[in-house]
Amino acid sequence: MGFSDKFGRSTTSVAALVALGLTMPVPALVMAQTRISFSDTQNHWARPFIESLAQEGLINGFADRTFQPEQTITRDQFNSILNQVFNNRSIQLSQGFNTTAANYWSSFDFQNNRATSPNQLRGTDSLSRIQVLMAITNGLGLNPTGNPQNVLGVYQDASRIPSAAAGGLTAATENGLVVNYPDVQFFDPNKPATRAEVTAFIYQALVNQNIFDPISSRTIAARYIVQPGNLANNSNFPGSSNPVTNNPQNTNPQNIGNRIAQNTIINVRYPQAQRIVLTPGENQNLTLLVTDNIVNSQGQVLIPRDSQIEGQITSRFNGSQFLGAQFVAQRLIVGNQAYNFNAVSRLISSQPPEAVSQQSGVGDVLISTAARAILGNVTGGGGGGLIEGILGSIFGGNRPASNPTTNQVVLINTATDLQLATQSDLVIGN
């Protein structure tokens, strides 16, 4: 893909290199080459962003041919990226990049709503998603045009967005800079930004500046770009008033050829237990199995029974209010082929521990350590009549620092509560 007309150069004359891992002594960095391909991004949701920037020499991988997309970004690394990308003579911006504004916002303490003095900063500190996006947005001089309350309403966790960031995030949203994975409706402002997320933000910023063309709408990555005009009316997103999983009329869409259509319902099972008990705020990785063959309109099997779906039970909050737990699929494995997979379950509400303890003796139950403690307070033991399977390292260590719903638990019936609805089309076999 050539950009000589926008960069003022050919793709073979790239001089600038950006090292997302610049401050790390190992592994060593390698020069970007034409047709860049990293061993750990082949099935990653951000692959188009990563490979497009790498092909232009604007980001680099490591000597072992990895990109390490899930590694969090440090302050020094981020500053290097901003300098190399936006102060690059080959990058013709509509106006200059304001490094002072970018540094101010990347250093801003949003949790305490105050600026941070330079002597309090460390280059090895990680940056949050809101710090990164505010730095890019303000560096480019983007300003909001709409009402922040209306624009930011596309995010289910809008109440968690710091007031100091409302204007900047509104501008970023309006200009197409925001990319939210794994759920496009949750911004998660305080989450540490990963290399993949920073790359996506940078790519979208260059699209906004007419440096890059938008990625194809047919790619996996495109579904995570926030489109405010489309989100509000999309009933398939979690938290909407009319989720597809509750509408039996939407459970049998037309699958044509190798395409699994959006809104396809997929029944799944979790072999390790019939029920799972967690607390609000806990997130947990799971691998589910497809219960029934998924076929196309000609009766050909596209997703065979017992194919694996990897993902995470994720807690959803609106500020301090717990909305529910939800399984968010991330990867589908069909035979030896893995696909990025965009499907979600319905939201599962929390309930008092007394209600859970009364539902005992029905199949295998897996209980997190935190949930066991709450149930124990009710039953006087470790969960009453529940058939316990304490998962230790599997269910441990995933709770947030604070949990506003301390006396509630989430009971998940793995046979019914984890039914998935696809959020976009998926082509199998290509």
Side-chain angles (χ1 to χ4, degrees):
M1 170 168 56
F3 297 91
S4 57
D5 58 329
K6 297 178 181 178
F7 282 82
R9 58 171 173 77
S10 69
T11 56
T12 58
S13 63
V14 178
L17 296 174
V18 176
L20 287 180
L22 190 63
T23 61
M24 297 178 63
V26 291
L29 299 171
V30 293
M31 287 284 291
Q33 303 290 332
T34 303
R35 304 295 299 176
I36 285 294
S37 178
F38 300 109
S39 62
D40 56 350
T41 62
Q42 295 305 296
N43 295 308
H44 197 274
W45 66 269
R47 178 181 178 182
F49 302 121
I50 295 168
E51 292 188 355
S52 295
L53 291 183
Q55 186 171 318
E56 293 300 331
L58 297 175
I59 57 172
N60 290 345
F62 296 97
D64 60 357
R65 297 187 181 280
T66 64
F67 184 75
Q68 301 178 20
E70 295 306 311
Q71 183 185 91
T72 57
I73 201 77
T74 68
R75 186 177 306 281
D76 281 346
Q77 293 167 4
F78 182 62
N79 288 339
S80 295
I81 299 168
L82 294 184
N83 180 62
Q84 294 295 332
V85 175
F86 294 115
N87 293 326
N88 190 323
R89 292 182 180 179
S90 298
I91 304 292
Q92 301 298 319
L93 302 175
S94 57
Q95 61 184 30
F97 188 81
N98 190 331
T99 302
T100 301
N103 289 339
Y104 175 85
W105 288 108
S106 68
S107 305
F108 196 87
D109 182 357
F110 285 101
Q111 295 191 9
N112 294 305
N113 195 32
R114 65 186 182 188
T116 305
S117 63
N119 60 7
Q120 294 178 293
L121 304 177
R122 295 181 301 178
T124 56
D125 289 340
S126 62
L127 297 182
S128 66
R129 283 168 50 86
I130 192 62
Q131 286 177 312
V132 167
L133 203 53
M134 286 290 287
I136 297 172
T137 302
N138 286 279
L140 291 173
L142 301 178
N143 295 308
T145 59
N147 184 306
Q149 185 175 359
N150 294 336
V151 175
L152 299 182
V154 301
Y155 303 113
Q156 290 289 319
D157 56 350
S159 63
R160 297 177 58 199
I161 297 170
S163 58
L169 185 56
T170 297
T173 303
E174 292 173 329
N175 287 278
L177 271 62
V178 185
V179 183
N180 294 337
Y181 176 88
D183 191 327
V184 74
Q185 277 196 314
F186 286 84
F187 179 69
D188 209 354
N190 297 318
K191 174 183 173 291
T194 66
R195 289 162 54 88
E197 291 172 326
V198 172
T199 302
F201 294 156
I202 293 288
Y203 186 96
Q204 289 300 112
L206 294 176
V207 171
N208 171 263
Q209 296 294 303
N210 296 317
I211 304 299
F212 280 173
D213 293 323
I215 62 172
S216 170
S217 60
R218 300 179 62 183
T219 63
I220 296 293
R223 68 184 61 161
Y224 303 115
I225 300 172
V226 175
Q227 305 288 346
N230 296 334
L231 284 180
N233 298 320
N234 191 335
S235 63
N236 289 331
F237 285 102
S240 65
S241 60
N242 185 29
V244 68
T245 49
N246 292 334
N247 186 353
Q249 300 301 319
N250 290 333
T251 62
N252 188 27
Q254 187 83 355
N255 295 327
I256 301 174
N258 290 345
R259 180 176 63 89
I260 301 292
Q262 181 180 1
N263 298 342
T264 296
I265 298 300
I266 299 180
N267 294 316
V268 295
R269 59 191 176 89
Y270 182 58
Q272 296 188 35
Q274 293 184 16
R275 290 184 295 162
I276 297 173
V277 187
L278 301 172
T279 60
E282 287 188 294
N283 299 329
Q284 182 55 50
N285 295 329
L286 294 179
T287 298
L288 307 178
L289 299 181
V290 176
T291 302
D292 307 305
N293 291 336
I294 305 299
V295 301
N296 63 11
S297 56
Q298 290 77 41
Q300 298 172 319
V301 176
L302 300 182
I303 303 179
R305 184 178 184 273
D306 291 332
S307 295
Q308 294 183 351
I309 297 177
E310 297 176 351
Q312 184 182 75
I313 295 177
T314 301
S315 292
R316 299 302 191 191
F317 288 88
N318 182 12
S320 61
Q321 179 186 4
F322 178 68
L323 301 177
Q326 177 183 54
F327 183 83
V328 178
Q330 298 169 347
R331 194 165 74 140
L332 167 68
I333 302 174
V334 178
N336 295 324
Q337 182 67 46
Y339 303 88
N340 287 317
F341 192 47
N342 186 19
V344 297
S345 73
R346 69 177 181 86
L347 284 172
I348 307 160
S349 302
S350 62
Q351 53 187 300
E354 294 85 355
V356 176
S357 63
Q358 293 171 2
Q359 304 178 47
S360 59
V362 183
D364 294 331
V365 180
L366 297 179
I367 311 175
S368 72
T369 303
R372 185 192 187 205
I374 293 177
L375 292 172
N377 291 334
V378 176
T379 64
L386 293 173
I387 304 175
E388 296 180 8
I390 304 302
L391 299 187
S393 61
I394 298 178
F395 271 13
N398 288 318
R399 295 186 63 192
S402 62
N403 179 8
T405 320
T406 55
N407 295 319
Q408 299 277 308
V409 292
V410 179
L411 175 64
I412 301 170
N413 185 324
T414 61
T416 58
D417 293 336
L418 300 181
Q419 183 188 66
L420 303 178
T422 58
Q423 300 297 288
S424 59
D425 291 356
L426 172 67
V427 176
I428 299 292
N430 289 343

